[in-house]
C-alpha cells in the first residue's frame, strides 16, 4: 500500500442508483481536489465499469474499490462476482465486513479464499476485523477495525480504544490500519493519528457526497 494517507473509504453498500453514483463521482471529484490523502470509492458491483469510465474521463484522483468478491473462481456460481471479472477495474476490495459475516455466514475459511482470489489479480484487500483478536489471512495489507456496535448506530468507538486496537493489530503484521463505525464530519479528525490509525471507512455519512466532502475537509492528522 503506497498511497498517501489518510485513506478515506466510502462504503456505499446496497445504496445509490446509477444516477446517484455518477453524481457522487462528479461532485467529489470537483469539490474534493484539495484532499492530500487517498479516496477509495466502493460502489456497487453493477456500476464498477461505468465508475471506472467516469473516473478516467474526469482524470480523477478517486480510486475504485468493490465491497466484496466471490470465494469462488469463475464458473457456475449464479449471482457471484469473481475477482478475475473485475481485474483492471478495481484496485481495492473490502473483505470480511461484519454485515457479510453475519448475513451471509462468511467464516474465516471463506474469507481467506476471497483474499487469495483478490491477490491473484492484484486487487488490494481492505480486511475488516471486529476486534483485536479477529484472525487476519495472509496477503492482507489494509486492516479496518470495525467494532460491530459502532456500525450504522451513530455510536462510534472512542478514539483512544481505536488507537489501542490499531496498536495491537500493528504488532501482528505490517498493516495499514483504519477505523470504521459511525464516522462523521464532526468526529473524523479525532480518529486519525499518524502511525496508529491511518484512515477511516465510512458508511452512512459517505452516501451523500456533500457530507463525504465535509469528512475530507476534516480528515487530517
Ligand atoms: P457506518 O458504516 O459509517 O454507517 O457506521 C461503516 C461501515 O459499515 O463500514
Amino acid at each position: 500500500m503506497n498511497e498517501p494517507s489518510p485513506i478515506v473509504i466510502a462504503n456505499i453498500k446496497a445504496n445509490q442508483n446509477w444516477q446517484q453514483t455518477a453524481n457522487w463521482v462528479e461532485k467529489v471529484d470537483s469539490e474534493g481536489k484539495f484532499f492530500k490523502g487517498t479516496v477509495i470509492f466502493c460502489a456497487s458491483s453493477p456500476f464498477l465499469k461505468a465508475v471506472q469510465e467516469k473516473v478516467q474521463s474526469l482524470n480523477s484522483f478517486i480510486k475504485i474499490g468493490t465491497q466484496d468478491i466471490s470465494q469462488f473462481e469463475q464458473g457456475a456460481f449464479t449471482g457471484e462476482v469473481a475477482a478475475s471479472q473485475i481485474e483492471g477495474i478495481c484496485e481495492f476490495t473490502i473483505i470480511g465486513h461484519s454485515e457479510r459475516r453475519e448475513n451471509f455466514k462468511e467464516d474465516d475459511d471463506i474469507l481467506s479464499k476471497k483474499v487469495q482470489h483478490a491477490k491473484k489479480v492484484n486487487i488490494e484487500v481492505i480486511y475488516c476485523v471486529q476486534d483485536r483478536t479477529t484472525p487476519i489471512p495472509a496477503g492482507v495489507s489494509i486492516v479496518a477495525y470495525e467494532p460491530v456496535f459502532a456500525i450504522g448506530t451513530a455510536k462510534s468507538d472512542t478514539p483512544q480504544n481505536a488507537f489501542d486496537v490499531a496498536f495491537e493489530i500493528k504488532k501482528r503484521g505490517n498493516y495499514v490500519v483504519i477505523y470504521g463505525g459511525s464516522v462523521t464530519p464532526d468526529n473524523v479528525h479525532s480518529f486519525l493519528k499518524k502511525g496508529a490509525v491511518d484512515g477511516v471507512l465510512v458508511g452512512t455519512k459517505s452516501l451523500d457526497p456533500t457530507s463525504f466532502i465535509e469528512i475530507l475537509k476534516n480528515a487530517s492528522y
Side-chain angles (χ1 to χ4, degrees):
M1 168 81 205
N2 295 318
E3 280 75 12
S5 63
I7 303 158
V8 181
I9 305 174
N11 179 12
I12 299 300
K13 309 190 181 183
N15 295 297
Q16 293 186 349
N17 59 27
W18 167 243
Q19 203 43 55
Q20 291 165 319
T21 298
N23 177 53
W24 193 102
V25 174
E26 281 166 17
K27 196 166 162 84
V28 172
D29 180 67
S30 77
E31 295 175 33
K33 280 190 171 50
F34 62 87
F35 186 60
K36 298 280 180 281
T38 300
V39 173
I40 303 173
F41 181 46
C42 296
S44 299
S45 318
F47 305 137
L48 292 172
K49 181 65 188 164
V51 168
Q52 181 189 38
E53 285 164 6
K54 188 158 265 313
V55 161
Q56 286 172 345
S57 76
L58 294 168
N59 198 16
S60 178
F61 60 90
I62 297 169
K63 307 223 170 253
I64 305 167
T66 187
Q67 299 168 17
D68 183 45
I69 54 152
S70 178
Q71 63 173 300
F72 302 111
E73 205 124 34
Q74 281 191 356
F77 303 106
T78 302
E80 289 288 270
V81 177
S84 54
Q85 293 178 286
I86 51 168
E87 178 178 14
I89 298 175
C90 294
E91 282 182 71
F92 298 90
T93 183
I94 298 171
I95 291 177
H97 194 286
S98 57
E99 288 158 9
R100 297 221 48 103
R101 292 177 193 256
E102 193 184 321
N103 297 318
F104 303 97
K105 306 291 170 249
E106 294 184 354
D107 59 18
D108 294 335
D109 185 40
I110 291 173
L111 295 173
S112 65
K113 285 185 192 147
K114 292 183 178 218
V115 172
Q116 285 166 26
H117 289 310
K119 293 308 292 175
K120 237 184 260 170
V121 294
N122 290 321
I123 293 176
E124 201 150 357
V125 176
I126 301 154
Y127 196 79
C128 299
V129 302
Q130 289 67 49
D131 59 52
R132 64 187 79 204
T133 64
T134 309
I136 302 171
V140 168
S141 47
I142 304 168
V143 174
Y145 164 55
E146 295 218 315
V148 174
F149 66 81
I151 296 180
T153 57
K155 291 194 180 79
S156 59
D157 203 344
T158 62
Q160 190 53 53
N161 196 51
F163 301 151
D164 291 347
V165 174
F167 183 68
E168 294 292 323
I169 292 169
K170 285 186 178 194
K171 280 204 246 169
R172 294 166 60 189
N174 186 21
Y175 303 121
V176 169
V177 179
I178 65 177
Y179 168 77
S182 298
V183 172
T184 68
D186 289 338
N187 70 17
V188 62
H189 176 71
S190 68
F191 282 105
L192 295 170
K193 187 172 177 184
K194 230 185 173 92
V197 174
D198 296 308
V200 285
L201 179 45
V202 190
T204 311
K205 297 293 180 189
S206 71
L207 300 186
D208 175 358
T210 305
S211 75
F212 188 76
I213 291 159
E214 288 304 307
I215 286 177
L216 294 183
K217 284 185 188 154
N218 296 336
S220 58
Y221 290 114

